[in-house]
Amino acid sequence: MSHYSAWSLLRHALDGHRSWAPAWRDPAPRRHYRVVIIGGGGHGLATAYYLARTHGITDVAVLEKGWLGGGNTGRNTAIVRSNYLLAANSRFYEHSLKLWEGLTQELNFNVMFSQRGMVNIAHSNAELSALHRRGNAMRLNGVDAELLSRDDLGRLMPALDLSPEARFPVMGGLIQKRGGTARHDAVAWGYARAADARGVDIIQNCEVTAIRRDGDRVAGVETSRGFIGADKVALCVAGDSGRLAAMAGLRLPIESHVLQALVSEPVKPMLDVVAVSGALHFYINQSDKGELVMGGDIDGHNSYAQRGDPEIIDHVVESAIALFPAIRRMRLMRAWGGTVDMSMDGSPIITRLPVDSLYLNGGWCYGGFKGTPAGGTALAHLIATDTPHPIADRFTLTRFDTGDLLDERGAGSSPWMH
Amino acid sequence: MRIPCPNCGSRSLAEFSYGGAALDRPPGDIGPSPETAPAWDDFVYRRDNPAGPLRELWFHAAGCRAWFVATRDTRSLEFIAEVTP
Ligand SMILES: Cc1cc2nc3c(=O)[nH]c(=O)nc-3n(C[C@H](O)[C@H](O)[C@H](O)COP(=O)(O)OP(=O)(O)OC[C@H]3O[C@@H](n4cnc5c(N)ncnc54)[C@H](O)[C@@H]3O)c2cc1C
Ligand SMILES: [Zn+2]
């Protein structure tokens, strides 16, 4: 792997950037691998990378039915934070955030991690109390959190409507200064390049169509490019988790739902934090290109359509205009959807499945991008050692039978409510 | 999305609440009995989650306030079968 640096950029500038080598190989699938990972999104690629880097397991293939990062990794709004309430989630996402802080250097690939601050806005006293509680929980868990007054919010976001006539009065807020955004595709590409350099085969346009079993054990996968044998197989397919599990005869505590996002036309810098309003189910930040990136809730019914209802877009735009009236005449440029893997308690699942040597990384709901480095670390550890990584040992499948749930929002077993 | 309410006809998604997959309630009482617990765990937490036709519950919250069962294709988002009140 050629090292990326200011020097290599200069050197390649001399011939008009015509001599860059491809960032990863395009190998034909071999007949057998020690580990086959299904899904070339962030989690699958990160798992392959940490298998090679941390555990020295390089006889690994990542199989992707389309192109790398073409699933939720390339569709998400790239918010990275660790402002969780429950200890198990806090531990995992804080570990992930620490990995994000060194990821560009680790991968020698600029993932454009921008710790611009993650702000939660409260519109009522009750909501403010809930943010105080969350901030205290975060600090007890060793995560940075600071309360914000209305004036603080006004200084951070001059465009925010703080007037008494505001449709949604602003009472205060909470900031995690280490939170922010990253470049979504770069995460997939960076892990792919670094895994490939350690010998991992990354195979695109290769759809898994069946999982072959040998008794209680997984034997390999049927694909659009033929059968590929494997000692171990891992599912990292987000919204397709249910489909892949069905191929192994399993049912999961996961439903597939659509989550939408949208961007405005680009404008000059006007918002340099990530802002979230829990009451409005709304969030917004400004991309490096100047677009306002916005999103809201999932549509709220099972869907594999990768597109959603205009009703949600209406709601998001109305929220944006209510909070930031200055943007009311801006044009919407694009809206899209991704199929998210909503688990029954809103928390992820990283586990061995009831079929021997079959593993699952899923249940990321609307927030698994920020968990990419830690999700890959934890699944690689589980595959290599068959014991759960301590940062993810509560993300079990059995918790749904034992009652040891991780329900951040207290919404119960209705995945569309999390 | 338009939803075919058996009482009110085709109405906008905004008027409805979702009730999830229409599953058969397992026999017996919910509770920690070793005989019934697995079936109840399954009922509450595990789903077929099909990419295709799904029988599901809808509630016409801003209309006639009736629950009904409809079958929808989760890929095309089209309602494909008769609704049953
Ligand atoms: C609109 C939107 C906004 C979001 N915003 C945020 C956010 O701000 N912050 C955050 O942390 N998270 C966010 N998320 C969630 C986040 O995107 C996901 O949780 C995360 O990217 C999941 O990564 P993954 O690698 O598991 O899945 P994916 O990136 O979806 O990768 C799974 C891959 O598996 C492949 N695949 C599926 N079936 C097969 C098969 N049979 N054979 C081979 N390959 C297969 C798919 O093509 C896909 O590329 C958002 C999601 C959406 C949709
Ligand atoms: Zn009705």
Side-chain angles (χ1 to χ4, degrees):
Chain A
M1 179 173 86
S2 74
H3 190 78
Y4 292 163
S5 63
W7 166 243
S8 71
L9 199 61
L10 269 175
R11 191 160 44 82
H12 285 285
L14 293 178
D15 69 355
H17 295 291
R18 276 185 295 270
S19 60
W20 289 101
W24 53 84
R25 297 165 296 130
D26 182 22
R30 295 207 300 269
R31 291 180 51 196
H32 185 275
Y33 292 89
R34 191 161 157 200
V35 180
V36 160
I37 294 168
I38 309 173
H43 282 277
L45 294 163
T47 301
Y49 170 73
Y50 293 112
L51 273 173
R53 203 222 49 183
T54 311
H55 304 282
I57 300 175
T58 58
D59 184 14
V60 176
V62 178
L63 310 182
E64 165 55 51
K65 72 175 171 185
W67 62 94
L68 297 188
N72 292 344
T73 299
R75 291 162 193 266
N76 91 99
T77 47
I79 299 169
V80 175
R81 58 185 173 87
S82 62
N83 55 355
Y84 281 78
L85 185 68
L86 301 179
N89 281 331
S90 173
R91 183 167 36 134
F92 176 81
Y93 286 108
E94 177 59 15
H95 186 89
S96 205
L97 185 53
K98 289 193 173 124
L99 292 174
W100 277 106
E101 286 171 334
L103 199 57
T104 289
Q105 284 70 27
E106 163 93 26
L107 300 179
N108 178 230
F109 201 100
N110 189 357
V111 299
M112 298 170 81
F113 184 43
S114 156
Q115 293 178 289
R116 58 185 66 185
M118 164 80 203
V119 176
N120 287 80
I121 303 169
H123 301 291
S124 67
N125 279 326
E127 236 194 317
L128 196 56
S129 303
L131 285 186
H132 288 189
R133 176 174 177 234
R134 170 135 47 136
N136 286 335
M138 287 165 65
R139 292 179 75 122
L140 286 171
N141 285 322
V143 178
D144 68 303
E146 286 167 45
L147 294 172
L148 299 172
S149 67
R150 276 170 54 114
D151 291 344
D152 295 336
L153 286 167
R155 274 190 296 274
L156 273 174
M157 294 179 279
L160 181 66
D161 187 358
L162 294 173
S163 64
E165 309 83 56
R167 173 70 185 82
F168 300 101
V170 171
M171 311 295 285
L174 180 73
I175 185 168
Q176 182 182 22
K177 287 188 173 155
R178 289 162 60 242
T181 61
R183 168 82 198 276
H184 48 15
D185 314 296
V187 176
W189 299 338
Y191 275 119
R193 174 169 165 270
D196 172 272
R198 284 169 174 78
V200 171
D201 279 1
I202 291 163
I203 301 161
Q204 300 182 67
N205 299 310
C206 182
E207 176 168 5
V208 171
T209 53
I211 293 174
R212 198 189 282 179
R213 285 167 66 159
D214 179 4
D216 283 344
R217 222 191 140 72
V218 73
V221 292
E222 307 285 352
T223 79
S224 52
R225 297 174 69 172
F227 175 74
I228 302 174
D231 297 340
K232 297 187 171 188
V233 173
L235 314 182
C236 300
V237 292
D240 283 310
S241 296
R243 271 168 151 172
L244 270 291
M247 291 178 195
L250 303 173
R251 293 164 84 228
L252 297 177
I254 289 177
E255 288 186 2
S256 296
H257 286 256
V258 61
L259 177 65
Q260 304 188 70
L262 38 129
V263 292
S264 73
E265 59 188 326
V267 290
K268 288 184 181 168
M270 61 165 291
L271 180 67
D272 58 7
V273 293
V274 179
V276 175
S277 162
L280 296 182
H281 298 285
F282 167 75
Y283 65 88
I284 184 167
N285 65 274
Q286 189 169 19
S287 75
D288 294 340
K289 287 185 285 183
E291 305 144 340
L292 295 178
V293 183
M294 294 170 261
D297 244 344
I298 57 175
D299 276 32
H301 47 77
N302 289 43
S303 171
Y304 283 87
Q306 290 192 320
R307 64 184 161 80
D309 205 82
E311 192 198 295
I312 294 277
I313 297 176
D314 262 5
H315 171 85
V316 169
V317 170
E318 283 165 9
S319 306
I321 294 170
L323 294 181
F324 301 96
I327 67 173
R328 68 189 173 280
R329 295 180 63 191
M330 275 170 66
R331 277 164 299 193
L332 186 66
M333 201 162 65
R334 262 192 332 274
W336 64 91
T339 308
V340 291
D341 35 336
M342 299 299 295
S343 69
M344 292 310 239
D345 63 358
S347 294
I349 302 168
I350 301 177
T351 187
R352 297 167 66 173
L353 287 170
V355 174
D356 202 13
S357 302
L358 187 63
Y359 302 80
L360 171 73
N361 158 313
W364 293 105
C365 300
Y366 42 76
F369 177 71
K370 60 176 148 7
T372 303
T377 300
L379 181 59
H381 181 95
L382 182 63
I383 292 171
T385 65
D386 271 325
T387 51
H389 193 290
I391 57 167
D393 58 5
R394 297 272 310 274
F395 295 165
T396 61
L397 198 59
T398 47
R399 71 182 189 262
F400 298 95
D401 302 323
T402 59
D404 191 21
L405 300 173
L406 293 171
D407 192 343
E408 255 316 291
R409 200 164 155 195
S413 63
S414 304
W416 58 93
M417 304 288 284
H418 288 295
Chain B
M1 194 161 88
R2 306 283 299 180
I3 300 178
C5 172
N7 302 318
C8 314
S10 169
R11 306 290 303 172
S12 157
L13 169 67
E15 298 178 5
F16 294 83
S17 299
Y18 190 54
L23 306 168
D24 293 327
R25 197 183 150 96
D29 276 343
I30 190 162
S33 114
E35 293 81 52
T36 57
W40 277 97
D41 284 339
D42 223 50
F43 174 66
V44 176
Y45 292 115
R46 267 173 277 277
R47 297 290 177 263
D48 287 334
N49 192 20
L54 173 65
R55 274 187 83 239
E56 56 193 7
L57 290 160
W58 288 93
F59 177 55
H60 197 181
C64 62
R65 298 193 66 76
W67 281 98
F68 58 93
V69 175
T71 302
R72 189 176 55 104
D73 190 316
T74 58
R75 294 162 301 183
S76 65
L77 308 186
E78 272 160 22
F79 286 84
I80 50 176
E82 282 295 292
V83 290
T84 44

